[in-house]
Amino acid sequence: QVYCKTDSHWNEYGAYIAYREIMKHICKYFENIKPIHVSNFKIERKNRFGGDLAITLSLHNKVYREDYIGFKSKIPLKARGRRLGNISEYVSQTCMECKIPGLLNAVMFHDSFIHELKPFISEHFSRILYIWDWLGMNFYTDIIKREKPKIVIEEMAERFLMNKKLNNPDEVLNFKKK
């Protein structure tokens, strides 16, 4: 099971599968990056209150509790995070840093699905800046110019694509692999 029964978001197992797929693509361009193997995690059942679907019905605390699949790293994860100031009322930013020499930096634009994915992907970057645009799911070229990342990732749930006109900036459309 990759999603919680009472939530529209994936559980930690679903996030691990998404992480593994993202890493397949990153590894094509950066051969020194290797995904963390599932054997490095202890898979456990966790019990929690109901998710966003149960919250919508106001039944999340007592009526809808559920077991879900959780991951616990067998070795301490190295990435450490901090919240940065909000860009605007609905755009927040956090930063995860991993003090291992030779890692790349990245920027990731995302929606609420990122929360379970962050612990996995953050381990691969010296610095990864996460931008959560709650309403617009915009692409901020000014942040990319400032951060100068080697990798930019945009994560978006399919439900946002229905109302989103994807309009990549010229810098993205004209990108050539160096």
Side-chain angles (χ1 to χ4, degrees):
Q1 182 177 323
V2 295
Y3 279 81
C4 300
K5 292 178 184 177
T6 65
D7 202 308
S8 63
H9 298 86
W10 51 43
N11 58 26
E12 291 174 21
Y13 180 60
Y16 178 80
I17 292 171
Y19 154 78
R20 198 174 60 203
E21 291 302 311
I22 291 168
M23 294 308 293
K24 279 183 191 177
H25 294 283
I26 291 174
C27 291
K28 289 178 188 175
Y29 298 96
F30 301 95
E31 295 173 0
N32 60 329
I33 297 178
K34 303 288 182 223
I36 304 168
H37 194 270
V38 71
S39 65
N40 288 322
F41 297 95
K42 178 182 176 190
I43 300 171
E44 57 190 15
R45 287 200 176 276
K46 297 180 180 181
N47 187 272
R48 67 169 231 173
F49 58 86
D52 64 353
L53 300 174
I55 290 169
T56 301
L57 299 171
S58 297
L59 300 172
H60 57 288
N61 285 328
K62 295 181 182 174
V63 177
Y64 288 113
R65 293 195 62 83
E66 65 178 302
D67 287 336
Y68 76 105
I69 306 295
F71 274 53
K72 183 175 182 178
S73 180
K74 292 179 182 176
I75 56 172
L77 298 177
K78 294 172 180 57
R80 299 291 174 251
R82 59 190 164 97
R83 264 185 74 56
L84 304 173
N86 284 2
I87 295 171
S88 69
E89 183 178 1
Y90 297 105
V91 182
S92 65
Q93 54 183 347
T94 58
C95 176
M96 297 289 286
E97 295 176 332
C98 195
K99 306 284 187 204
I100 297 175
L103 296 180
L104 305 172
N105 62 330
V107 171
M108 186 169 195
F109 301 101
H110 64 86
D111 58 24
S112 57
F113 275 72
I114 195 64
H115 303 306
E116 305 294 343
L117 185 62
K118 266 185 189 180
F120 302 117
I121 205 159
S122 297
E123 291 293 297
H124 299 284
F125 300 101
S126 61
R127 172 183 165 89
I128 182 166
L129 180 65
Y130 293 99
I131 306 295
W132 184 9
D133 185 342
W134 299 16
L135 298 179
M137 293 300 300
N138 293 303
F139 196 87
Y140 296 86
T141 55
D142 56 324
I143 291 173
I144 294 170
K145 287 176 183 175
R146 182 188 75 218
E147 293 289 318
K148 297 178 177 62
K150 292 290 182 186
I151 299 173
V152 176
I153 303 168
E154 186 173 24
E155 175 275 320
M156 182 186 309
E158 288 179 19
R159 63 183 174 220
F160 291 116
L161 292 174
M162 293 170 45
N163 297 321
K164 181 76 176 162
K165 179 183 175 196
L166 298 177
N167 188 17
N168 284 325
D170 290 337
E171 295 94 339
V172 173
L173 294 173
N174 297 326
F175 174 78
K176 291 187 170 95
K177 186 177 173 186
K178 295 179 181 179

